[in-house]
Amino acid sequence: MVANSERNDGPSEQFTQNGPIPRRDHGAQLHFIQNKLKAFHTDLLNEVQERMSNIVNDLEKELRQQELQIHEFPNSLSLTNLNSFTNGINADAYEERYDRRKKFPDKTTDKKRGAEQSFLQKFPEKVFQSRESYLTTLMKVDHIRTIYNIFVVGFIYYAFQNILQDYFTNGRITLAANLFHTGFGNIHYSLAVWLGLMCYTCSVYYALKTWSSVRFKLRHHEPLQRMWSRIWLMAYIMGVILCLYLPVKACLWLDIKYASCAGLLMETLRMIMKQHAFVRTICGRVLQGKLKNGDDSSEKPVTMPGFGKYLYYLFAPTLMYQDNYPRTSHIRWKFVAARFAECVAYVLLFAFLYENHLRPFMENFGKMELSAALLIRTYFNIQLTAMLFLLSGFYFLLHSWPNFTAELLRFGDRMFYRDWWTSRDMFEYFRKWNLLVGDWLYEYVFKDFYRYVFKGNKAACENCPKEASGGGRWGDWLMPYLISCKIK
């Protein structure tokens, strides 16, 4: 009993063969467990954050595709099926570009107002929106981006081949320098003519401002007012004729080469269309005698927009004038660099195609003995080169360069074309190929012809082309209209 009591009352140390077992440090164990839990918590949060980021990215991509289909591909059947997204595209160019929400008077008005209401309902106004170009939006789809990368690699390979061939053939790399020297000959004359044309285009603003102010002062003398307006109308018509004649005469007289001549003539046509849009818009406001807010302004002159707005419009990638356009918040310099690189690539591609595929056939054609094999080879080689010129020219003139200037000017509406590659007839193709010129023709030629020349005559316009959707809407290209209408 005594032994057992001593054994129970003694110290509770445990022994092993190697010595006493040390006591456990519970604080260290709790600290170790706490560190493990913190590490697990951190790993769990990181994994959840990564998965949530992936989910958000996928959701953004789906929303981007859905927005693309809703706004740009309204006839697509599915919002998530990529096959229908890329194959079932058939956009309606009319509904996107024009606002249908204009309110009109009630139906109890007289016949004249009813005819005006019917006209306005058929021809609503253009509405600018902040949106990307068609191909820019399509590039956000990985499959389309892959095709773009394939074309980039093909161009690099083709350019590298031409560089090596040029080096080992001529002993130096020229990059078609002779072609550029020949094509852009006398470019300083072209720039001088363009500068004079630009000065005249800017003077149109002050001439229109003078006409508007003097016309307002003559509001109580209608005969003098009409005479004043007719004098300025004749001056404007003579100015347009001189703008069309003098640059062509300068190109012939100064022997401006074909590339410089083409650029000058295209700029001449662009400036004429821009100044006509500006004059037509401002004259419409002045002749109406009312401000846009609808206030009675018969005793007030119509306020001219500032010269800065007119100057911005001259360089903006649009042919339709408005006082204000949607603007982006900042300039994406990477986007600017990419579009500028595409412009340089197009110039090189044009030079390489001309030097390798057009010039040899055109120089030697007629000097060799004609045969069926030579004609077939020449014909199909020129046809293939012309198709490449057409596609690359479209990409340069309607995508790369307009997006380049739009990004520098922070111009918001980048819808310069639509999906013309899905067109099923020529009318749909012409409506989608070039929206810049199409909108100008529709707004300042077609609508004015219908309103002032035909005066709503259905007999002359009853066969106007319908859109592909079958909705009976008016075409917005002048050429299909003139082809299909029975004008006598």
Side-chain angles (χ1 to χ4, degrees), residues 191-203:
L191 292 176
V193 175
W194 177 85
L195 186 60
L197 185 63
M198 188 67 186
C199 293
Y200 168 76
T201 305
C202 293
S203 67

Side-chain angles (χ1 to χ4, degrees), residues 126-374:
K126 169 71 178 285
V127 175
F128 286 90
Q129 306 174 19
S130 293
R131 49 187 174 176
E132 293 287 354
S133 295
Y134 226 84
L135 290 178
T136 303
T137 309
L138 286 175
M139 291 301 175
K140 297 177 182 178
V141 182
D142 294 337
H143 300 276
I144 306 299
R145 187 71 185 179
T146 302
I147 298 175
Y148 174 80
N149 294 335
I150 292 174
F151 278 102
V152 171
V153 173
F155 169 76
I156 294 175
Y157 176 81
Y158 182 66
F160 190 66
Q161 173 196 352
N162 282 272
I163 290 173
L164 290 180
Q165 181 179 356
D166 195 17
Y167 178 76
F168 287 105
T169 302
N170 302 323
R172 58 192 180 92
I173 299 175
T174 60
L175 293 177
N178 294 330
L179 178 64
F180 291 117
H181 183 268
T182 304
F184 290 97
N186 293 333
I187 192 174
H188 54 285
Y189 293 142
S190 179
L191 292 176
V193 175
W194 177 85
L195 186 60
L197 185 63
M198 188 67 186
C199 293
Y200 168 76
T201 305
C202 293
S203 67
V204 170
Y205 172 84
Y206 295 101
L208 191 62
K209 189 174 182 179
T210 303
W211 167 78
S212 176
S213 60
V214 175
R215 184 184 183 278
F216 175 75
K217 295 178 181 179
L218 297 175
R219 64 187 181 277
H220 300 299
H221 305 278
E222 292 187 1
L224 293 177
Q225 190 183 61
R226 286 196 298 268
M227 183 180 298
W228 174 257
S229 298
R230 289 173 182 174
I231 291 173
W232 280 97
L233 176 61
M234 295 301 298
Y236 172 72
I237 294 175
M238 290 299 299
V240 172
I241 294 175
L242 290 177
C243 284
L244 290 173
Y245 173 76
L246 292 179
V248 177
K249 187 66 176 179
C251 290
L252 297 176
W253 183 50
L254 299 175
D255 193 22
I256 300 177
K257 301 303 179 182
Y258 55 88
S260 302
C261 180
L264 176 60
L265 296 181
M266 291 175 66
E267 274 292 295
T268 300
L269 186 60
R270 184 184 72 91
M271 289 187 180
I272 291 175
M273 296 172 73
K274 277 184 173 288
Q275 64 179 283
H276 177 74
F278 179 75
V279 171
R280 176 64 181 83
T281 302
I282 301 302
C283 287
R285 298 179 189 176
V286 174
L287 294 178
Q288 287 177 1
K290 293 183 179 181
L291 297 175
K292 283 209 164 186
N293 56 12
D295 297 336
D296 186 9
S297 59
S298 58
E299 299 299 328
K300 299 179 183 179
V302 175
T303 303
M304 287 281 294
F307 181 75
K309 294 182 178 180
Y310 178 66
L311 190 62
Y312 177 85
Y313 161 70
L314 290 180
F315 291 96
T318 180
L319 296 175
M320 297 185 64
Y321 175 77
Q322 284 190 0
D323 292 338
N324 297 292
Y325 299 96
R327 305 285 295 274
T328 57
S329 59
H330 62 282
I331 299 177
R332 299 172 294 179
W333 291 106
K334 290 184 179 180
F335 186 85
V336 172
R339 301 291 79 79
F340 181 76
E342 290 174 351
C343 295
V344 175
Y346 167 76
V347 175
L348 293 177
L349 178 63
F350 181 90
F352 292 150
L353 289 175
Y354 178 82
E355 287 288 336
N356 298 328
H357 301 280
L358 279 185
R359 189 172 182 176
F361 288 95
M362 301 304 293
E363 284 183 346
N364 298 322
F365 192 81
K367 299 179 181 179
M368 299 179 294
E369 183 180 357
L370 294 179
S371 62
L374 176 63

Side-chain angles (χ1 to χ4, degrees), residues 17 25 28 36 151 235 292 470:
Q17 295 178 356
D25 190 353
K36 286 291 185 182
F151 278 102
K292 283 209 164 186

Side-chain angles (χ1 to χ4, degrees), residues 29-48:
Q29 292 179 351
L30 290 175
H31 185 69
F32 175 76
I33 295 173
Q34 185 179 7
N35 290 335
K36 286 291 185 182
L37 290 175
K38 287 183 178 181
F40 175 74
H41 180 262
T42 303
D43 294 338
L44 182 62
L45 287 179
N46 291 334
E47 185 176 357
V48 171

